[in-house]
Amino acid sequence: MTKKNNFLRGAAILSIAGVIVKILGAVYRIPLSNIIKSEGMGYYQTAYPLYTLLLTISTAGFPIAIAKLVSEKRAVGDFKAAYKVFKVTLLGLTIGGLLTSLFLFFRAESIVDRLGNKNAYYALIALVPALFFVPIMSAFRGFFQGRQLMVPTALSQIVEQLFRVGAGLTLTYLLLDKGIPMAAGGASFGGSAGAIAGAATMALIYFYGRKEIKKELKSSIDTDEYEINQIIKDLLIIAIPITIGASIVPIMDYIDLELVLTRLQIIGYTEAEANGLYGNLKGMAQTLINLPQVFSIAISMSLVPAVSDANARKNKKEMESTIASGIRITLLIGLPCTLGLFVLARPIIELLYYKNDVATIINVSNSLSILAFSVIFLTMVQALSAILQGLGRPGVPAINLFVGAVVKIFLSYTLTVIPSINIYGAAISTVVAFGIAAILDLISVIKYAKIRLNIKDIFIKPFIASLGMAIAAFISYLGLINIVAKINAANEMITRLEKLSTLGAVLVGVIVYVVLLILTGSITEEDWNLLPKGDKIGKKLERFKLIK
């Protein structure tokens, strides 16, 4: 198998695993929120920003750094040095995981006190084991990726998420009788259960393959000793910039958490009320915003090598075509999701979070109608960041996102203390933050790639198709719900019919969108090439004259 085929196979494996993990993670929040309601989701979401931040700091750049160094040493036949990189990093990340988990264990109570959300203690302390096991797991993942073995990483990701969802939902249900704070702790412990299972999976795969590793070590060339100090230096040079970039969003979320909870209490909300509002926003509405990323991330993963390859060969025409297709496909995903979530916010929330009270449904649907506009900007940020990485400018999107984060903090601080805006200020600030980052990224892509984009084909046509879809979905929902209102049936039957009205409206929207894509010529055969097996799909559609 050639290196190119090896890379494509590995990328496909990780893409499939990533999609499965994202779907499981997004779906997990829906039954969870129906069990512990907005109060429990508030405790759950209070714990996760700090956990994510500590985790990002301790692991974000290291798997990539390990993979790079291991791959480089293996390429020249220095298998001993490659294995030494793994051993040094495994030890370092184990110590780092121990320190961060101990920090959280001893400081959890004071942290939730400072946040003004004491009942989130169980949700936070339940994540202590995860902080220890995830860094260990990341060391193994980096080692296997450096050996161009992607199946272990993909398998551990799926196992981790399955245990997270299974253990989280089970413990939440079992602990519900002991109170919502304890049940939220059970939900959080799902993350720890997943981390333990994922790390165990990687360790088992490693020990199973030790014979092959020993053979490699015996065939290693003789070179100068790769000193531990040099290994640490080389690792940090690669890992630190990546970690800084990856830490921006977790830091933004953590600061937002501190601001929102305290600022809401300033304008008269109790600790419990502020927690509930935060749970509505982050635990329920935000979950739906993450769903479209399942597809946009796959596009982004394909864009990096495609842009990088065209750029390296100085093929400007190919690079311009790839960038244009990448942006257009991203808009074809992001725009309909944005407008669809906006016009059907209330019906979708009633469909998914049916066990919550009317006040919660209204609050979550209002939050979703605002956050819906962050979908288009967030998907664009992912695609444009990938393009800039392919152009050899990985630091630019990090800087642009930092600018957006600063604006978000200012807006969250300012808007959430306005009584008429309250929690919606955090939603507005999120939209603005990603909007700024997306605009700056687009300007940067045009600047560094030195290309001109066709406004009509890339932006206007996808917008027309998406707008038509949204109008059709909204009108069909109104029509279906009016029919339901005229039916003289039991309340339970009417509720079921209302849910079917929402699903029917979504189906109509999808059909209309596909038709409008064809009529407007918004998608071409070349666009499909960015997707796995997309070239075959594109040729079949062209054969039936459905695309150009």
Side-chain angles (χ1 to χ4, degrees), residues 305-323 390-393 448-451:
V307 173
S308 181
D309 181 65
N311 188 43
R313 292 185 285 106
K314 306 295 183 184
N315 191 330
K316 188 174 181 180
K317 184 178 180 181
E318 182 182 330
M319 183 175 67
E320 186 171 323
S321 174
T322 302
I323 291 173
L391 291 171
R393 304 280 181 170
Y448 293 116
K450 296 181 175 62
I451 61 172

Side-chain angles (χ1 to χ4, degrees), residues 264-519:
L264 287 175
Q265 291 176 52
I266 286 174
I267 57 173
Y269 288 97
T270 64
E271 180 182 317
E273 289 170 339
N275 170 75
L277 289 173
Y278 190 78
N280 292 344
L281 176 69
K282 294 289 186 177
M284 297 183 184
Q286 187 78 44
T287 299
L288 300 177
I289 301 306
N290 295 332
L291 284 170
Q293 293 180 58
V294 171
F295 306 101
S296 60
I297 288 174
I299 298 296
S300 300
M301 291 178 69
S302 299
L303 274 171
V304 176
V307 173
S308 181
D309 181 65
N311 188 43
R313 292 185 285 106
K314 306 295 183 184
N315 191 330
K316 188 174 181 180
K317 184 178 180 181
E318 182 182 330
M319 183 175 67
E320 186 171 323
S321 174
T322 302
I323 291 173
S325 292
I327 295 174
R328 182 167 58 252
I329 291 178
T330 300
L331 287 170
L332 291 174
I333 294 169
L335 276 172
C337 290
T338 292
L339 297 178
L341 288 172
F342 175 70
V343 299
L344 295 178
R346 178 70 179 268
I348 289 172
I349 296 302
E350 288 177 335
L351 172 68
L352 298 177
Y353 303 122
Y354 56 91
K355 286 194 175 182
N356 288 271
D357 56 56
V358 176
T360 298
I361 295 293
I362 293 172
N363 184 263
V364 176
S365 60
N366 289 341
S367 296
L368 179 60
S369 64
I370 297 170
L371 281 176
F373 291 97
S374 69
V375 173
I376 182 59
F377 296 130
L378 181 55
T379 53
M380 283 293 287
V381 165
Q382 290 169 339
L384 294 169
S385 295
I387 292 169
L388 287 166
Q389 289 167 12
L391 291 171
R393 304 280 181 170
V396 173
I399 294 171
N400 294 341
L401 191 56
F402 176 75
V403 173
V406 171
V407 175
K408 174 176 170 56
I409 292 168
F410 171 76
L411 288 177
S412 289
Y413 184 86
T414 305
L415 296 177
T416 48
V417 289
I418 300 174
S420 59
I421 299 178
N422 57 77
I423 191 66
Y424 304 130
I428 293 168
S429 67
T430 297
V431 175
V432 173
F434 285 118
I436 289 172
I439 292 169
L440 292 176
D441 282 348
L442 182 60
I443 293 171
S444 300
V445 166
I446 294 171
K447 174 184 175 182
Y448 293 116
K450 296 181 175 62
I451 61 172
R452 296 182 67 181
L453 300 175
N454 188 313
I455 303 297
K456 180 183 176 182
D457 289 342
I458 297 175
F459 298 99
I460 296 177
K461 287 182 178 181
F463 177 75
I464 291 172
S466 300
L467 182 62
M469 176 279 302
I471 293 172
F474 184 67
I475 292 174
S476 63
Y477 174 75
L478 291 179
L480 290 169
I481 210 69
N482 284 332
I483 294 172
V484 171
K486 293 177 181 179
I487 296 175
N488 185 17
N491 288 334
E492 186 178 346
M493 178 62 73
I494 290 175
T495 301
R496 291 176 180 175
L497 290 173
E498 287 175 346
K499 291 178 181 179
L500 288 175
S501 298
T502 303
L503 295 174
V506 172
L507 180 60
V508 169
V510 171
I511 294 171
V512 170
Y513 185 57
V514 172
V515 172
L516 288 174
L517 286 180
I518 296 170
L519 293 177

Side-chain angles (χ1 to χ4, degrees), residues 99-304:
L99 292 175
T100 53
S101 59
L102 287 174
F103 167 80
L104 186 58
F105 180 78
F106 288 111
R107 299 292 296 171
E109 190 171 356
S110 62
I111 289 169
V112 293
D113 283 346
R114 192 180 72 249
L115 292 173
N117 202 6
K118 296 178 182 179
N119 285 333
Y121 172 77
Y122 296 110
L124 189 58
I125 202 74
L127 291 167
V128 167
L131 286 174
F132 176 72
F133 284 100
V134 171
I136 294 172
M137 182 167 52
S138 69
F140 280 107
R141 285 176 176 174
F143 177 61
F144 280 112
Q145 287 170 22
R147 299 179 70 218
Q148 296 189 40
L149 298 173
M150 304 303 173
V151 172
T153 295
L155 185 61
S156 72
Q157 287 176 340
I158 294 171
V159 169
E160 179 188 3
Q161 195 72 319
L162 284 172
F163 271 80
R164 179 192 172 213
V165 172
L169 289 177
T170 301
L171 288 172
T172 302
Y173 181 77
L174 293 175
L175 293 172
L176 194 58
D177 290 339
K178 297 184 180 295
I180 296 295
M182 188 71 78
S188 278
F189 189 77
S192 291
I196 295 169
T201 300
M202 293 303 293
L204 285 172
I205 294 172
Y206 169 76
F207 284 111
Y208 180 77
R210 287 197 71 183
K211 288 184 179 179
E212 186 177 342
I213 294 172
K214 286 180 180 179
K215 286 182 181 179
E216 286 183 348
L217 292 175
K218 289 180 181 178
S219 65
S220 181
I221 63 171
D222 292 325
T223 59
D224 294 335
E225 181 85 16
Y226 195 10
E227 300 292 339
I228 293 177
N229 289 342
Q230 189 61 44
I231 291 174
I232 295 172
K233 180 182 176 181
D234 292 343
L235 283 167
L236 292 177
I237 288 173
I238 300 168
I240 287 176
I242 297 171
T243 302
I244 292 172
S247 297
I248 292 173
V249 172
I251 290 172
M252 181 170 66
D253 285 343
Y254 181 67
I255 294 173
D256 203 35
L257 167 63
E258 293 215 26
L259 286 176
V260 171
L261 290 175
T262 55
R263 299 294 278 175
L264 287 175
Q265 291 176 52
I266 286 174
I267 57 173
Y269 288 97
T270 64
E271 180 182 317
E273 289 170 339
N275 170 75
L277 289 173
Y278 190 78
N280 292 344
L281 176 69
K282 294 289 186 177
M284 297 183 184
Q286 187 78 44
T287 299
L288 300 177
I289 301 306
N290 295 332
L291 284 170
Q293 293 180 58
V294 171
F295 306 101
S296 60
I297 288 174
I299 298 296
S300 300
M301 291 178 69
S302 299
L303 274 171
V304 176

